[in-house]
Amino acid sequence: MTSGETDLDIAIVGAGAAGLMAAIWAGRTAATLGRPQRIAAFDGAKTLGAKILVAGGGRCNVTHHAVTEAEYAGSSRNAIRKVLLRFPVDDTVLFFKELGVELKREETGKLFPVTDRARTVLDALLAEVRRLNVELLNPCRVHSVERLADEFRLATANGDRFARTVILATGGKALPLTGSDGAGFEMAKSLGHTLTPHTFASLVPLLLPKDHWLLALSGVAAPVTLSVSDPSGKRHESFSNALLITHFGLSGPAVLDISRYWSARALQNDPVQLRINWLPGLGLPEADQLLLDIGSLSLARVLGGRLPERLARALCEAQGIDPSRAGHTLKRDERRALAAGLTDLSVPVIGDRGFTFAEATAGGVALSEVVLETMGSRRCPGLHLCGEVLDVDGRVGGFNFQWAWASGFVAGRATASLPE
Ligand SMILES: Cc1cc2nc3c(=O)[nH]c(=O)nc-3n(C[C@H](O)[C@H](O)[C@H](O)COP(=O)(O)OP(=O)(O)OC[C@H]3O[C@@H](n4cnc5c(N)ncnc54)[C@H](O)[C@@H]3O)c2cc1C
């Protein structure tokens, strides 16, 4: 039974990276099967694709040359892998090439458009959506999605629409000004899904107490290895990359990568510590030896050759040691304390900067609630989900977009292939 008003075969809620991808592959699949479908994508934001435009500092880090499930967290890595394999990086590169967007690989392994302009990526996606005659409604917020007997009713800013199938591509809560404000999580719940116990900011800077001595070094950057550990010192996750000290705490790719692991433990009230190794590759014994070898040279001079000088000085002072002292004047205990401060400094993180400053959302709808071959809901027939609304978040480096492309591809293809 339908209302008799079904005017869409496929309604896509959210036209960000995942929603646009789903729209394109639904449109292409329908065309290939010779089965015209009425497809519409709704987006509440004034600016379409705002997150694509700001991504990668305005250059849009479209993907990474080596994408594996190991770069993601959230739902089981096995489930994430199954979806990623349906649309691997080579397919992403070819897909964009066919849309006229050449990608280039940088030393870090990240792929960007050769134009270095995110606009190129967004324009190409929108042009393809239009070529496929997908109706693009923007700004048009969807207030609710209701499952009726054989169709869905979408209460939109432009009135009710009725659709045979719905793809939920509303994103998470990161950078809510772009339109991703978590409304999709409520829709998923209203359609029978559960959410992970927490949805929290991922890829987000971390806060230190206002009086912490590191804050005086705002602007200093250094390569580090960061670890999350328990108070016994047992390390859980580690990332090696650049760290940037800011006026509020810590930022930079290493910090963004580890932030979700710190928060996940803090949210569970697990005692958690963030530890910084300022001499990546060296452990405490090697750092101790390095200090022993300094001899008559000053600490500031030798450590300043390995670290930004202000940082080298501050690390000495934090242990109560004058950085102008010669290495051989250090007592054993002082040397050991300094070596520990250099390779295993515990910093008292008090929280993160929240969704307004986050690049992704951790948590959401677990992949166990969808059929991975179609991204179809196990809870609500006719509903599909893709992108960040699902419990998948990747590292810095193009992994989050790759998730959006792959899951959007699977959802789009599957909805257009469904028997009528
Ligand atoms: C500053 C920043 C930089 C980033 N840089 C990169 C990068 O370089 N590389 C990378 O891989 N990842 C990057 N990311 C992450 C990446 O942008 C996201 O993971 C990705 O955009 C998620 O795609 P999505 O389509 O699932 O969600 P979104 O892109 O968030 O899109 C969801 C869309 O749904 C719409 N919507 C939500 N609710 C409703 C509703 N009720 N009705 C109608 N529309 C609705 C929103 O307006 C939005 O347009 C960055 C993120 C940020 C914030």
Side-chain angles (χ1 to χ4, degrees):
M1 267 287 289
T2 67
S3 62
E5 296 182 71
T6 307
D7 64 338
L8 293 171
D9 294 298
I10 303 168
I12 301 164
V13 187
L20 291 173
M21 193 67 173
I24 289 170
W25 284 98
R28 286 182 175 185
T29 306
T32 309
L33 294 176
R35 278 209 325 234
Q37 309 240 4
R38 297 156 300 171
I39 307 170
F42 301 82
D43 202 293
K46 278 201 189 111
T47 309
L48 259 188
K51 241 181 233 184
I52 294 176
L53 292 176
V54 298
R59 295 197 301 138
C60 190
N61 175 196
V62 174
T63 185
H64 193 279
H65 90 102
V67 174
T68 73
E69 66 278 12
E71 317 297 345
Y72 296 85
S75 289
S76 91
R77 290 214 166 124
N78 194 30
I80 296 171
R81 183 170 64 95
K82 282 190 181 152
V83 180
L84 292 172
L85 284 177
R86 299 288 305 283
F87 198 80
V89 175
D90 287 351
D91 290 14
T92 303
V93 173
L94 185 64
F95 169 76
F96 279 104
K97 191 181 167 94
E98 285 172 358
L99 295 188
V101 181
E102 285 288 341
L103 300 180
K104 61 170 175 182
R105 174 179 155 185
E106 301 201 334
E107 263 176 28
T108 52
K110 297 177 182 178
L111 271 70
F112 292 88
V114 291
T115 56
D116 280 328
R117 289 184 67 229
R119 169 64 65 187
T120 319
V121 175
L122 179 61
D123 285 352
L125 291 168
L126 293 177
E128 182 66 356
V129 167
R130 293 196 179 102
R131 184 186 73 80
L132 292 161
N133 291 321
V134 172
E135 190 187 351
L136 200 50
L137 292 112
N138 154 256
C140 181
R141 192 164 171 83
V142 176
H143 300 300
S144 65
V145 178
E146 189 187 351
R147 172 85 214 169
L148 306 177
D150 287 325
E151 63 187 344
F152 292 88
R153 179 181 24 202
L154 290 89
T156 84
N158 296 355
D160 284 359
R161 298 288 295 263
F162 293 85
R164 204 167 46 81
T165 55
V166 166
I167 299 179
L168 201 58
T170 41
K173 297 183 185 172
L175 204 59
L177 272 177
T178 59
S180 324
D181 56 5
F185 290 139
E186 296 311 311
M187 279 180 210
K189 277 207 295 197
S190 75
L191 293 166
H193 281 282
T194 52
L195 299 181
T196 51
H198 301 286
T199 48
F200 55 100
S202 175
L203 304 187
V204 65
L206 295 174
L207 302 171
L208 293 177
K210 282 197 169 62
D211 57 354
H212 196 276
W213 56 270
L214 274 173
L215 301 190
L217 301 174
S218 177
V220 169
V224 297
T225 297
L226 283 185
S227 311
V228 161
S229 76
D230 56 37
S232 74
K234 185 172 174 236
R235 280 170 173 59
H236 298 281
E237 291 82 17
S238 288
F239 290 93
S240 294
N241 210 326
L243 172 147
L244 172 69
I245 302 168
T246 69
H247 62 283
F248 54 78
L250 306 173
S251 190
V255 175
L256 301 188
D257 277 341
I258 208 148
S259 59
R260 61 105 57 226
Y261 296 98
W262 186 89
S263 301
R265 285 173 196 280
L267 280 166
Q268 287 176 16
N269 292 323
D270 284 351
V272 52
Q273 291 185 347
L274 184 74
R275 309 182 89 95
I276 308 176
N277 184 343
W278 302 98
L279 300 173
L282 299 194
L284 191 123
E286 293 85 8
D288 193 45
Q289 188 61 47
L290 175 86
L291 296 174
L292 262 176
D293 294 343
I294 288 180
S296 60
L297 296 177
S298 78
L299 295 168
R301 177 153 173 215
V302 174
L303 294 177
R306 288 182 163 255
L307 298 166
E309 195 174 339
R310 278 171 67 203
L311 175 63
R313 287 181 171 278
L315 284 166
C316 294
E317 283 157 4
Q319 303 303 330
I321 297 170
D322 180 347
S324 62
R325 276 173 66 184
H328 63 72
T329 68
L330 290 181
K331 297 194 186 78
R332 187 169 178 278
D333 284 356
E334 288 178 315
R335 210 182 59 237
R336 304 274 308 174
L338 182 53
L342 286 165
T343 58
D344 196 23
L345 183 75
S346 172
V347 282
V349 173
I350 54 169
D352 66 45
R353 284 199 101 193
F355 283 112
T356 307
F357 295 93
E359 290 193 10
T361 306
V365 176
L367 287 184
S368 55
E369 295 192 1
V370 298
V371 178
L372 300 175
E373 288 72 23
T374 61
M375 303 311 287
S377 163
R378 291 185 190 276
R379 300 292 163 92
C380 176
L383 176 70
H384 293 245
L385 300 97
C386 58
E388 213 173 289
V389 72
L390 292 159
D391 176 26
V392 178
D393 56 294
R395 285 180 53 195
V396 170
F399 301 102
N400 283 304
F401 276 139
Q402 185 59 32
W403 172 253
W405 313 136
S407 58
F409 164 80
V410 176
R413 279 240 306 211
T415 43
S417 316
L418 290 177
E420 286 172 49

